[in-house]
């Protein structure tokens, strides 16, 4: 978590087990108001002790009818703190304050037409009378609590929004934090600014100040190492920690043999040259490939790569102490560029499912010898980029497409070996070069290039029959990696990529395009 208790104007997001609880916090920050997430088990007394400017109740998968469903303590709504309920939080507020929540059988999922019934209300003021919002509910509020004004409805939700201006309470059945809800950010800001009366004064620079203080408090006079991959996450984490503790940090770049073409050179050229951080390069390619030999299960790959990373770091830490001549000293802290989507997909959210273990979360070994320093753990990728810009991280790294810590090892569907890596590395380099040449780098969030190593297809090249591997292009557009859609790249660009790959990579005779959104797919194939 970000350092807590340092802002008067903090909005606490109560997590009822929603995949998007952090997205709510992110939208609040976009409104220039500081926010933190707390579990739904937090007592009202503890919430009041934090003196929040407002509280937002997130959605969640439960039904208010079930005996084990999380409940809202009505005392929170009488404590003089502005409260805003979203989806399940909206229903929990209604049930706690004397309203009625009913299983009507009229479920609403996805884009839904919303009708504003009170256009002069605070929450929905200055939005169209009819708008499209994102719903995800089976139960509905059929009667608002006493004192509340019903301000909107939909076909499946007779009470789709309500508010009590005098008590600074409001709620909506839909998800304003999701980009698919029209005017969602404006509605959220109406609550923050007009109902809760919060001034929008917080900026991303506040994250830097708080994290610098938190890192210094955690590390003290100790030594830390950072696994620098060359990607934006680890680079920004390293720059942030270096600002906090300076020469106490050593960055370790592990060449695990799973890197893209030119990866190591970019780290030394762009990052080290700009920051003057101390860098130790470890060539561990043989070690990783030996550990991955014959392994095809993606979860097993991730865990193996995570385990080997830590073992390499541990040895690097011992070497750093020896080289420094620090008698009796040791490296106690490991800096990681863990982001919130990594935590959520690895089951780290409150009530969220384990989608896949990220090497820096679920893939860490149980006998870890380091204390983790994760200054970006509650941030999304775009927020990390803003922090990187503030810290002066080179633009070539800040705006680089995300690349997974396990590298090309999880972009080979099948066993990993040196030959398959060379095939994928060549295809990936071509795809990246052509995206840059077409000027669409900033339009694409990420473009994984995947080798289907266990699949072959018949082709015709040079008037002869071939039996080669397919390559999958996975260009996606996203704001935060929690959801994504496939990027509509120009056909000419796709054609050029396909032609170059099949001409220049002999083992490949087919290039296919993945047009699946997230969900149901994930961005990476493994």
């Amino acid at each position: 978590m970000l350092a807590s208790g340092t802002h008067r104007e903090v909005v606490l997001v109560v997590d009822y087990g929603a995949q998007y609880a952090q997205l709510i916090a992110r939208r609040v920050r976009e409104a220039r108001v500081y926010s933190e997430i707390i579990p739904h088990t937090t007592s009202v007394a503890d919430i009041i002790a934090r003196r929040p400017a407002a509280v937002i109740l997130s959605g969640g998968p439960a039904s208010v009818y079930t005996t084990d469903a999380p409940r809202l303590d009505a005392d929170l709504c009488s404590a003089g703190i502005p409260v805003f309920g979203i989806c399940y939080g909206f229903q929990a507020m209604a049930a706690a304050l004397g309203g009625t929540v009913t299983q009507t059988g009229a479920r609403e999922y996805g884009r839904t037409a919303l009708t504003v019934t009170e256009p002069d209300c605070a929450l929905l003021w200055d939005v169209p009378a009819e708008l499209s919002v994102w719903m995800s509910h089976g139960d509905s509020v059929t009667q608002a609590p006493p004192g509340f004004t019903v301000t909107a409805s939909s076909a499946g939700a007779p009470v789709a929004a309500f508010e009590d201006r005098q008590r600074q309470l409001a709620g909506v059945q839909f998800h304003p934090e999701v980009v698919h809800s029209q005017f969602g950010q404006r509605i959220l800001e109406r609550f923050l600014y007009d109902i809760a009366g919060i001034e929008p004064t917080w900026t991303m620079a506040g994250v830097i100040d708080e994290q610098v203080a938190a890192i210094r408090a955690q590390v003290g006079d100790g030594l830390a190492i950072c696994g620098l991959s060359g990607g934006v996450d680890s680079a920004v984490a390293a720059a942030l920690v270096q600002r906090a503790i300076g020469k106490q940090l050593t960055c370790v770049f592990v060449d695990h043999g799973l890197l893209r073409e030119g990866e190591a050179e970019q780290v030394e050229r762009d990052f080290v040259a700009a920051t003057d951080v101390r860098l130790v390069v470890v060539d561990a390619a043989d070690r990783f490939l030996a550990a991955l030999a014959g392994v095809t299960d993606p979860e097993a790959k991730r865990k193996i790569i995570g385990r080997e990373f830590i073992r390499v770091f541990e040895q690097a830490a011992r070497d750093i102490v020896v080289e420094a001549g620090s008698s009796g000293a040791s490296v106690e802290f490991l800096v990681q560029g863990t982001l919130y989507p990594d935590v959520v997909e690895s089951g780290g959210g409150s009530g969220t499912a384990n989608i896949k273990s990220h090497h820096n979360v679920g893939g860490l070994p149980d006998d870890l010898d380091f204390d983790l320093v994760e200054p970006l753990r509650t941030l999304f990728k775009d927020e990390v980029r803003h922090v990187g810009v503030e810290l002066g991280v080179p633009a070539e790294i800040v705006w680089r497409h995300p690349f997974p810590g396990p590298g090309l090892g999880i972009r080979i569907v099948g066993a990993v070996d040196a030959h398959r890596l060379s095939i994928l590395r060549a295809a990936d380099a071509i795809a990246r070069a052509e995206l840059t040449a077409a000027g669409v780098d900033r339009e694409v969030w990420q473009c994984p290039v995947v080798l289907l190593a266990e699949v072959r297809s018949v082709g015709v090249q040079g008037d002869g029959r071939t039996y080669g591997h397919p390559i999958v292009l996975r260009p996606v557009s996203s704001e935060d990696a929690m959801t994504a859609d496939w990027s509509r790249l120009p056909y000419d660009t796709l054609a050029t990529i396909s032609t170059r790959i099949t001409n220049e990579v002999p083992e490949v005779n087919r290039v296919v395009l993945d047009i699946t959104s997230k969900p149901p797919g994930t961005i990476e194939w493994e």
Side-chain angles (χ1 to χ4, degrees):
M1 289 292 295
L2 297 174
S4 54
T6 57
H7 283 263
R8 291 181 181 177
E9 300 290 276
V10 59
V11 171
L12 299 179
V13 178
V14 179
D15 184 2
Y16 281 112
Q19 285 277 353
Y20 300 136
Q22 183 72 10
L23 186 54
I24 298 172
R26 173 175 174 259
R27 297 300 188 207
V28 173
R29 295 176 198 167
E30 287 179 353
R32 297 185 62 198
V33 177
Y34 180 66
S35 62
E36 293 181 7
I37 294 178
I38 58 174
H40 65 79
T41 53
T42 306
S43 69
V44 171
D46 287 342
I47 293 175
I48 293 174
R50 293 284 303 276
R51 300 178 62 188
V55 171
I56 297 178
L57 312 175
S58 84
S63 167
V64 293
Y65 295 107
T66 59
T67 57
D68 58 348
R71 307 292 179 188
L72 172 66
D73 188 333
D75 288 345
L76 177 64
C77 297
S78 60
I81 301 170
V83 180
F84 183 44
I86 294 175
C87 194
Y88 180 83
F90 171 69
Q91 296 175 5
M93 177 187 289
L97 298 180
T100 303
V101 182
T102 307
Q103 292 177 314
T104 62
R107 300 181 178 185
E108 292 177 315
Y109 296 103
R111 297 183 191 276
T112 304
L114 183 80
T115 300
V116 177
T117 56
E118 291 288 339
D120 293 330
C121 67
L123 200 64
L124 301 175
W125 178 74
D126 198 30
V127 302
E130 299 283 339
L131 62 156
S132 176
V133 297
W134 196 259
M135 291 278 199
S136 182
H137 69 99
D139 301 339
S140 298
V141 177
T142 53
Q143 183 176 346
F148 282 78
T149 299
V150 178
T151 59
S153 64
S154 68
V159 181
F162 58 41
E163 63 183 57
D164 182 336
R165 285 295 305 277
Q166 184 174 358
R167 289 189 289 172
Q168 296 178 290
L169 306 176
V172 294
Q173 180 61 70
F174 56 92
H175 288 272
E177 74 276 17
V178 175
V179 294
H180 307 297
S181 288
Q182 290 182 313
F183 303 98
Q185 185 67 12
R186 183 185 298 184
I187 292 167
L188 183 58
E189 290 174 358
R190 289 278 183 251
F191 169 74
L192 296 172
Y193 304 157
D194 298 343
I195 294 179
I198 301 173
E199 293 292 330
T201 58
W202 182 81
T203 67
M204 289 303 296
V207 171
I208 297 174
D209 294 339
E210 290 170 2
Q211 282 304 318
V212 165
I215 292 163
R216 287 173 178 166
Q218 181 183 4
V219 176
D221 296 328
L223 300 177
I225 61 173
C226 175
L228 190 64
S229 69
V232 61
D233 304 340
S234 63
V236 173
L240 192 50
V241 173
Q242 187 195 36
R243 175 169 292 193
I245 63 174
K247 297 300 184 181
Q248 294 166 242
L249 172 69
T250 299
C251 288
V252 178
F253 180 79
V254 177
D255 186 350
H256 48 28
L258 309 173
L259 301 172
R260 293 181 292 188
E261 186 175 291
E263 206 96 47
E265 294 80 3
Q266 186 185 48
V267 170
E268 295 197 54
R269 181 185 66 244
D270 294 334
F271 186 74
V272 177
T275 63
D276 198 32
V277 71
R278 184 188 178 202
L279 178 68
V280 174
V281 178
V282 180
D283 184 353
D286 291 343
R287 173 176 184 157
F288 277 81
L289 289 180
L292 289 168
V295 178
T296 59
D297 180 74
E299 274 292 281
K301 287 183 190 177
R302 289 175 176 272
K303 291 183 181 298
I304 288 170
I305 294 169
R307 181 195 69 210
E308 295 303 315
F309 256 108
I310 295 301
R311 298 290 88 99
V312 171
F313 284 138
E314 289 171 343
Q315 183 59 53
R318 290 190 288 268
D319 293 343
I320 289 167
V321 172
V322 171
E323 291 173 10
S326 304
S327 177
S330 64
V331 178
E332 301 175 24
F333 300 95
L334 172 62
V335 180
Q336 292 199 138
T338 306
L339 305 191
Y340 187 74
D342 301 338
V343 177
V344 170
E345 287 194 337
S346 297
S350 175
T352 57
N354 184 353
I355 308 300
K356 56 187 176 185
S357 296
H358 288 260
H359 78 286
N360 53 354
V361 186
L364 295 176
D366 295 332
D367 58 343
L368 183 68
D369 285 342
F370 300 107
D371 289 332
L372 295 180
V373 180
E374 298 178 309
L376 312 177
R377 188 180 176 89
T378 61
L379 301 182
F380 287 94
K381 181 76 72 174
D382 58 327
E383 293 180 316
V384 171
R385 293 192 200 280
H386 288 303
V387 172
V389 170
E390 292 276 350
L391 291 170
V393 175
E396 293 83 359
I397 290 180
V398 169
W399 298 107
R400 184 183 181 197
H401 286 181
F403 186 59
L408 299 179
I410 59 165
R411 291 184 177 176
I412 295 176
V413 180
V416 178
D417 59 37
H419 179 60
R420 289 175 171 179
L421 283 166
S422 69
I423 297 171
L424 179 55
R425 192 173 286 118
D428 175 84
I430 291 169
R432 287 189 290 133
E434 291 302 328
L435 290 177
T436 300
V440 296
D441 277 343
R442 295 286 184 92
E443 298 175 22
V444 178
W445 168 270
Q446 191 174 357
C447 185
V449 178
V450 182
L451 172 64
L452 303 184
E454 306 297 337
V455 177
R456 287 180 180 269
S457 63
V458 174
V460 178
Q461 291 170 296
D463 295 326
R465 178 185 185 275
T466 61
Y467 195 49
H469 295 290
I471 283 287
V472 180
L473 302 179
R474 173 69 166 139
V476 296
S477 301
S478 179
E479 284 193 341
D480 46 45
M482 296 298 291
T483 60
D485 195 9
W486 64 282
S487 301
R488 275 63 167 177
L489 295 178
Y491 290 152
D492 288 347
T493 301
L494 292 171
T496 300
I497 293 172
S498 176
T499 299
R500 283 197 59 192
I501 289 176
T502 53
N503 283 351
E504 299 174 32
V505 186
E507 298 87 349
V508 177
N509 65 358
R510 193 178 299 269
V511 176
V512 299
L513 179 66
D514 183 347
I515 60 170
T516 312
S517 62
K518 175 188 179 182
T522 55
I523 293 177
E524 298 287 347
W525 272 49
E526 291 204 338

